Structures are given as C-alpha cells and as structure tokens.
C-alpha cells in the first residue's frame, strides 16, 4: 500500500496567507470578549500580534513595500511607546525630585509614614500598567504595518475587511437590541443590571457606542461598493416609473447590498438604544461627514438616509424612545458633573505637567484631587481622553500627539477629498473604504472629548484598522496625481 504523501505546509498555506488569516481572526474576535478589556485577554491578543504578525513581518522584511508602510509620521507613535516604557522604569529619587517634585514629595511622605527607605521609583504611579500599555501600543504599530502590507499586495482584501467589520458590528448591534427587548439577558455570563442599556458584549455603553460608530460607516460604504450600477439603476427607475421604479430598483440590488445597508441600520438602532449621548451626537456628525465625503451623488445619499430614517423610526417606535428622551433631558446635569470632573482634574495636570502620572494612574490620585465629590464615589477616568492623556504623559508629549493627530487629519482629509473627485474603477474599493474610514475616525476622535472610548483595546484596534484604510486611499491619490 503506498504511503500517504502530505504536501509541505509552505505549499499548502503560505506564510502570507497565514498572516492574513491571523489578522482577520484578531479583527473579528477581539471585541467579542468584553472588548479585550481584561489584561489576560488583552495580553493574549498582544502576543498574537507580536509573535504572529511581527514574526511574519520579520520574515518578509526583504519583500516589504517600505515606502508605503513605514513613514516618518510614525516617529511620534514610536516616541510615545518609548516614553511610556521609560515612565515605568525605576529612577533614582534625586532624578524624580528634579523631573516631578510632587511625585517625589509623595514618596518622601510614604518613607516617613511607612518607615520605608525607597531610593528609586518610577515616574508613573502605576508602572506595570504603563509598561503593559507601551507593549500594546507597539503591537498596534506592528498590526498597522502588517495590515498595510497585506492591503497593498492585494486590494481585494479591502472587501473582506469591510465584511468582517460589518459582521462584528451586526453581531454587537443584534446583541444590544436583544438586551433592550430582554432586560434579563445581561452581558455574556455577567448578570443583567437593572435599567441597563444596549451594550452588546462591551461593558461600558459609551465604549460600545464608539465601536458601533466605527463599524456602521464601513457597512454603509460596503453597501455602496457592492452595487456598481446603483446610480444608473436608480436614475432609470426614477425617470421611468417614479416611486414604484425606485422601489423596484432597490429590490433588484444584489443581496450583499441589502446585507450591508440592513446591518448599518441595525447598528445605528442599537447605538440609539445604548443611550450614549456622546455616541449619538458623534453619529449625527458622521451622517454629515458621510454626506460630505462619500463619492456618490447627492440624490443617492439623501435617498439612502431617508430609507434609514424610516427604518429607525419604525423599529425604534416599536422598542420605545422614552428612555432616549429621558436620557437627553438630563444632559445639562450630566454635563455639569463632567465639567466639575475636568475642573477638579486640572490641578493634577498642573502638578505633573512635565512628565505626567503614567497610564491608568488617574484612579490612584482622583481621591486626593477630586475633593468636591462624595468620599464614597471614586472616579477612575476623566471622561475626556485628551485631558486624561495630558495628565498621564505630561503636556509636552500630549501636545506632540495632538499636533500629530491634527496634521494627519488635515493631510488625509485633503487627499481623500481629492480622491473623491474622480474614482477610477480599479481604486473604487480603496476610495469608498478610505472615505468611510476617515469619517468614522473623525467621529472616534470627537467622541473622545466627552468619554474614554480609546481605553478599550478593541476600539484602539479598530481605529488603527481605519487608519490603515485611510493610508491606502491617501497613497493611491498621491500616485494618481504624481
């Protein structure tokens, strides 16, 4: 009997194919277990990226499109990684006294009261957390380079990325709506909380809303992209048969078009019932940005948004908008509380303006600085990602990050706007995905003004995914105009 011959693994599944599958797996599953908020789960995905995608990048180093992936603008994120790691390293107390006098005075008080003799400490109040954040951010840089490399080698992968993001958003949206219809459902194995809003598998509703606001614009773009003749068919139907022609034209669209648009509607509906005011306001901003940037006719955009409004009004009235109205009726009281948190946190920034207190350290000092709040109420977040970032890493580094963000937005926006003027058929997927990603990323950044959605690892991963899609569109635009 002849021996069974197995194909070598390299012939059966190339390393590039394996890297692609690993990247898709990370993107599809990271939000499902509470958004990877638990350090063990976050560590698991960090290892997958460092070893799997990082190892593939090292192996394929000679084949990289270095010019298209690794750029000078990545110096600021790399500097941030190094800075966070340095913040976590123990330094002589004499150095701490020079860099952060308030931190040094607290250590001196600890030595006095606890009878200890600490001679070296880190600048960070929570060194272990700072080192964990630094490693995770470095893994996100590797993820960005791996995704950028894969997309530039085969742009057909853009469609797969859109499908994965839509599927994740659809699952989270349906889960959230089930939580509204069945308040006892809870979050995975966690028991339900009385009066809880839609949160899907994400514990905090504002982080859940931020995730959906990164998913539904990509689903919207996928719906437009999946039907190449949408403009012509709508135009013919509207000319010949009026409203009936339009309805027939919509019914004749491909199945995947209906899937994308229906998924977007379900996500937006779930987002409304998350009762996240910041998320809903960011969603309204996204509507305006998509109307402004998406490279399709005004008639199509207005028609699709009209259908979406009818969908939301119909199913939303079935679930009831009472909770949403009550939520927004208390926005003045909640806004005043947020303002007091910001104002009470400013002295913390003043005392540590140069070096910061380190990631995940606000909760350790909030009891000292937030004196106007009840003693039994502990705030572990500032509810403003930008202010908390400045407190954690200091003003100089925070300003460098903010300048980097603003310059990136202006540069990408200008090039994407130019790409929307003329969309070659071969670059249609990149332009549609890039425009939707740019709008979603702006909504992500805007929501950070009133919440801390950046702190969810899954949200950070999706934001980096959007950044890679934007970079691909920007580069295509540069090549076409060169």
């Amino acid at each position: 009997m002849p021996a069974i011959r197995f194909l070598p693994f390299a012939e059966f599944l190339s390393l590039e194919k394996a890297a692609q599958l690993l990247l898709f797996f990370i993107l599809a599953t990271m939000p499902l277990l509470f958004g990877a908020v638990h350090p063990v789960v976050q560590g698991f995905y960090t290892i997958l990226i460092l070893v799997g995608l990082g190892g593939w990048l090292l192996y394929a180093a000679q084949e990289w499109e270095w010019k298209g992936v690794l750029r000078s603008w990545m110096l600021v994120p790399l500097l941030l990684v190094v800075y966070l790691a340095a913040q976590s390293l123990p330094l002589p107390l004499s150095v701490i006294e020079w860099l952060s006098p308030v931190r040094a005075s607290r250590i001196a008080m600890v030595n006095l009261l606890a009878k200890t003799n600490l001679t070296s400490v880190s600048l960070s109040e929570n060194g272990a957390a700072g080192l964990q954040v630094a490693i995770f951010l470095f893994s996100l840089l590797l993820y960005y380079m791996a995704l950028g490399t894969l997309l530039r080698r085969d742009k057909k992968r853009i469609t797969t990325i859109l499908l994965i993001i839509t599927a994740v958003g659809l699952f989270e949206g349906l889960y959230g709506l089930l939580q509204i219809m069945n308040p006892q459902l809870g979050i995975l194995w966690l028991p339900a909380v009385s009066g809880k809003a839609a949160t899907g598998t994400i514990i905090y509703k504002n982080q859940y809303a931020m995730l959906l606001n990164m998913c539904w614009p990509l689903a919207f773009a996928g719906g437009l992209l999946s039907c190449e003749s949408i403009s012509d068919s709508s135009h013919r139907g509207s000319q010949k048969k009026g409203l009936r022609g339009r309805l027939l034209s919509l019914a004749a669209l491909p199945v995947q078009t209906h899937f994308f648009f229906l998924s977007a509607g379900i996500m937006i509906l779930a987002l409304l019932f998350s009762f996240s005011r910041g998320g809903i306001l960011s969603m309204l901003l996204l509507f305006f940005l998509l109307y402004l940037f998406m490279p399709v006719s005004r008639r199509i955009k207005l028609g699709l948004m009209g259908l979406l409004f009818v969908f939301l009004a119909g199913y939303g009235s079935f679930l009831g908008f009472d909770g949403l109205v009550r939520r927004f009726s208390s926005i003045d009281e909640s806004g005043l509380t947020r303002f007091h948190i910001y104002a009470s946190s400013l002295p913390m920034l003043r005392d540590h303006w140069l070096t910061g207190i380190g990631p995940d350290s606000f909760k350790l000092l909030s009891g000292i600085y937030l004196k106007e709040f009840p003693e039994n109420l502990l705030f572990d977040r500032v509810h403003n990602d930008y202010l908390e970032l400045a407190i954690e890493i200091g003003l100089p580094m925070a300003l460098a990050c903010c300048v980097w963000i603003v310059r990136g937005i202006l540069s990408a926006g200008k090039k994407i706007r130019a790409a929307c003027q003329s969309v070659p058929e071969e670059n249609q997927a990149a332009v549609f995905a890039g425009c939707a990603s740019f709008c979603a990323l702006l909504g992500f950044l805007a929501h950070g003004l009133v919440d801390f959605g950046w702190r969810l690892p899954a949200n950070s991963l999706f934001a980096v995914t959007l950044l890679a899609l934007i970079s691909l569109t920007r580069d295509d635009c540069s090549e076409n105009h060169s």
Side-chain angles (χ1 to χ4, degrees):
M1 181 176 180
I4 299 176
R5 180 179 179 271
F6 292 98
L7 290 174
F9 182 76
E11 296 181 17
F12 176 75
L13 184 64
S14 67
L15 288 179
E16 182 175 326
K17 186 70 172 179
Q20 171 186 300
L21 293 176
L22 177 60
L23 189 144
F24 290 165
F25 169 79
I26 293 170
L27 183 63
T29 61
M30 196 171 186
L32 302 183
L33 199 60
F34 308 113
V37 70
H38 195 282
V40 173
V41 180
Q42 179 183 336
F44 169 74
Y45 283 101
T46 301
I47 291 174
L48 284 183
I49 296 173
L50 292 176
V51 177
L53 298 181
W56 173 71
L57 288 173
L58 287 175
Y59 177 83
Q62 294 181 353
E63 303 176 19
W64 275 8
E65 297 85 353
W66 286 95
K67 185 178 179 181
V69 178
L70 193 59
R71 297 172 176 273
S72 59
W73 67 266
M74 292 182 66
L75 290 177
V76 172
L78 286 171
L79 179 61
L80 179 60
V81 170
V82 174
Y83 181 80
L84 291 175
Q87 236 185 357
S88 306
L89 298 177
L91 299 173
L93 198 55
S94 58
V95 177
I96 301 295
E97 290 175 351
W98 181 66
L99 293 175
S100 183
V102 177
R103 165 74 167 151
S105 66
R106 283 198 298 271
I107 298 302
M109 187 62 67
V110 169
N111 284 335
L112 177 64
L113 296 177
K115 308 289 185 191
T116 57
N117 187 27
L118 297 175
T119 58
S120 61
V121 293
S122 64
L123 285 168
S124 173
E125 298 284 341
N126 194 346
L131 196 58
Q132 177 185 348
V133 171
I135 296 172
F136 179 66
L137 287 180
F138 181 69
S139 71
L140 288 181
L141 287 175
L142 292 180
Y143 172 86
Y144 168 82
M145 290 190 287
L147 178 56
T149 302
L150 289 170
L151 290 178
R152 282 169 176 80
R153 290 183 176 183
D154 186 0
K155 292 183 181 179
K156 293 180 180 179
R157 292 177 173 129
I158 294 176
T159 304
T160 306
I161 294 291
L162 294 180
L163 282 170
I164 292 174
I165 292 177
T166 301
V168 170
L170 176 61
F171 173 80
E172 293 289 349
L174 289 173
Y175 200 146
L177 293 177
L178 287 175
Q179 290 168 333
I180 294 297
M181 291 184 287
N182 181 13
Q184 304 302 318
L185 183 59
I187 306 172
L188 297 180
W189 58 83
L190 296 182
V193 179
S194 178
K196 192 168 181 63
T199 60
T201 64
I202 310 299
I203 296 174
Y204 187 55
K205 62 177 179 288
N206 291 297
Q207 293 176 334
Y208 171 74
M210 185 175 281
L211 176 65
L212 291 182
N213 270 333
M214 286 188 285
C215 292
W216 75 261
L218 276 296
F220 186 78
L224 293 175
L225 186 62
S226 63
C227 184
E228 298 178 359
S229 60
I230 182 172
S231 178
D232 295 336
S233 61
S234 298
H235 183 66
R236 287 193 301 267
S238 62
Q239 281 186 335
K240 294 180 179 180
K241 301 179 182 179
L243 178 61
R244 182 171 178 270
R246 292 190 184 96
L247 294 176
L248 290 175
S249 298
L250 289 173
L253 293 176
V255 174
Q256 61 266 33
T257 305
H258 295 285
F259 167 75
F260 278 117
F261 288 139
L262 180 61
S263 299
I266 290 173
M267 286 182 246
I268 295 173
L269 187 62
L271 196 153
L272 289 174
F273 285 94
S274 71
F275 304 134
S276 168
R277 290 167 296 207
I280 294 170
L281 293 176
S282 297
M283 179 194 71
L284 296 177
L285 174 64
L286 284 174
F287 276 121
F288 172 75
L289 292 173
L290 288 170
Y291 179 82
L292 187 66
F293 278 95
M294 288 305 291
V296 293
S297 69
R298 181 184 303 177
R299 174 170 44 82
I300 292 175
K301 286 184 281 192
L302 289 175
L304 290 174
M305 289 183 180
L307 288 174
L308 181 60
F309 176 79
V310 171
F311 173 83
L312 295 176
Y315 283 93
S317 60
F318 170 75
L319 296 173
F321 287 113
D322 295 344
L324 186 62
V325 173
R326 287 195 302 270
R327 182 70 175 162
F328 271 90
S329 65
S330 63
I331 193 171
D332 53 345
E333 179 182 351
S334 177
L336 187 60
T337 302
R338 295 281 175 92
F339 177 78
H340 286 321
I341 296 174
Y342 303 157
S344 300
S345 302
L346 289 177
M348 195 185 304
L349 175 60
R350 180 196 61 203
D351 291 344
H352 308 86
W353 70 271
L354 181 60
T355 60
I357 64 174
D360 205 28
S361 298
F362 178 80
K363 60 186 177 184
L364 302 178
L365 299 180
S366 61
I368 300 173
Y369 285 89
L370 276 62
K371 299 177 181 179
E372 298 181 1
F373 296 91
E375 295 182 357
N376 61 341
L377 188 62
L378 176 65
F379 288 93
D380 56 354
R381 296 295 181 188
V382 187
H383 291 270
N384 183 309
D385 275 320
Y386 300 93
L387 179 56
E388 187 167 356
L389 182 68
I391 293 172
E392 289 180 341
I393 65 177
L395 275 178
M397 194 66 214
L399 287 174
C401 292
C402 289
V403 170
W404 176 76
I405 291 173
V406 171
R407 288 190 62 184
I409 290 173
L410 295 177
S411 174
K414 181 179 179 181
K415 293 183 178 180
I416 286 179
R417 187 66 176 168
C420 294
Q421 303 303 318
S422 60
V423 185
E425 186 175 351
E426 63 274 11
N427 289 337
Q428 193 177 44
V431 172
F432 275 65
C435 290
S437 298
F438 180 73
C439 297
L441 193 62
L442 286 180
F444 172 81
L445 295 172
H447 196 171
L449 290 169
V450 293
D451 274 308
F452 50 93
W454 299 5
R455 308 293 167 156
L456 189 72
N459 282 353
S460 298
L461 182 89
F462 271 60
V464 172
T465 304
L466 299 179
L467 189 61
L469 292 170
I470 293 170
S471 178
L472 183 67
T473 306
R474 182 192 59 195
D475 294 345
D476 285 347
C477 178
S478 299
E479 291 174 3
N480 291 335
H481 287 78
S482 62

